[in-house]
Amino acid sequence: MSKIEELIERFSLSPHPEGGYFKETYRSVGEIDSKSLDLNYHGKRNYSTCIYFLLTSDTFSAFHKIKQDEIWHFYSGSPIKLYIISEDGEYSEQIIGANFTEGQVPQFVVPGNHWFAAKTIDPNSYSFVGCTVSPGFDFEDFELPSQKNLLEKFPKHEALIRKLTRI
Ligand code: GUN
């Protein structure tokens, strides 16, 4: 069994709509009432949720957006690169990994309401990471734009958007 198949089986990972595999590992019992959340949220949310996320070199996590800040944690495998575009079209990137002397970090926060995508750096490899959000994740807060829509919004990032969208 390959290392990737082993991780999928050991941690019961399922395909994620943005690409890669995931498993929710924590969803707080406690909930935040909609009155206590800002107006961008419709309905209540759990305090916090956490997932395992496995990305393989033959694919990518496509540009998407959530409302919350998302805390990424590196566990094992290849470093993973995050590509981030703010609503103002400002681009930034960060590599999450264990080679700290090369500027990689084991934790990184993607700010809420930013478009972001991810790619495993090494060929024939995988990146095994975690993603924590608060308020808790809800697919209602998740946007996976088409390539066409994202290109219309950010024409100056055409090459990146063509590389990291699939619908
Ligand atoms: N639960 C299901 N999908 C996701 C995701 O993309 N991020 C987080 N944090 N939780 C999820």
Side-chain angles (χ1 to χ4, degrees), residues 124-136:
N124 306 312
S125 188
Y126 65 89
S127 305
F128 188 45
V129 300
C131 301
T132 304
V133 290
S134 176

Side-chain angles (χ1 to χ4, degrees), residues 109-163:
V109 181
V110 177
N113 296 308
H114 283 54
W115 301 96
F116 63 102
K119 184 102 186 77
T120 292
I121 291 196
D122 297 345
N124 306 312
S125 188
Y126 65 89
S127 305
F128 188 45
V129 300
C131 301
T132 304
V133 290
S134 176
F137 186 87
D138 189 307
F139 271 104
E140 203 177 292
D141 306 324
F142 175 87
E143 279 183 69
L144 190 66
S146 68
Q147 183 174 88
K148 183 173 171 287
N149 284 353
L150 213 55
L151 282 172
E152 276 166 16
K153 244 174 130 51
F154 305 118
K156 69 177 172 183
H157 299 305
E158 178 176 354
L160 204 59
I161 291 168
R162 286 198 187 283
K163 181 173 130 151

Side-chain angles (χ1 to χ4, degrees), residues 8-69:
I8 290 171
E9 190 169 306
R10 181 178 308 280
F11 296 112
S12 307
L13 308 178
S14 310
H16 194 284
E18 86 201 27
Y21 301 85
F22 82 114
K23 165 81 189 219
E24 190 170 272
T25 52
Y26 171 67
R27 179 167 287 270
S28 69
V29 172
E31 291 179 336
I32 312 167
D33 193 85
S34 63
K35 290 197 296 289
S36 305
L37 291 166
D38 71 51
L39 294 174
N40 293 320
Y41 294 92
H42 307 291
K44 62 188 180 184
R45 296 286 180 271
N46 298 89
Y47 294 152
S48 176
T49 56
C50 188
I51 57 168
Y52 287 136
F53 182 55
L54 175 71
L55 194 62
T56 53
S57 309
D58 56 353
T59 184
F60 55 85
S61 166
F63 271 109
H64 63 286
K65 185 169 90 165
I66 56 173
K67 294 173 179 165
Q68 312 88 324
D69 297 341

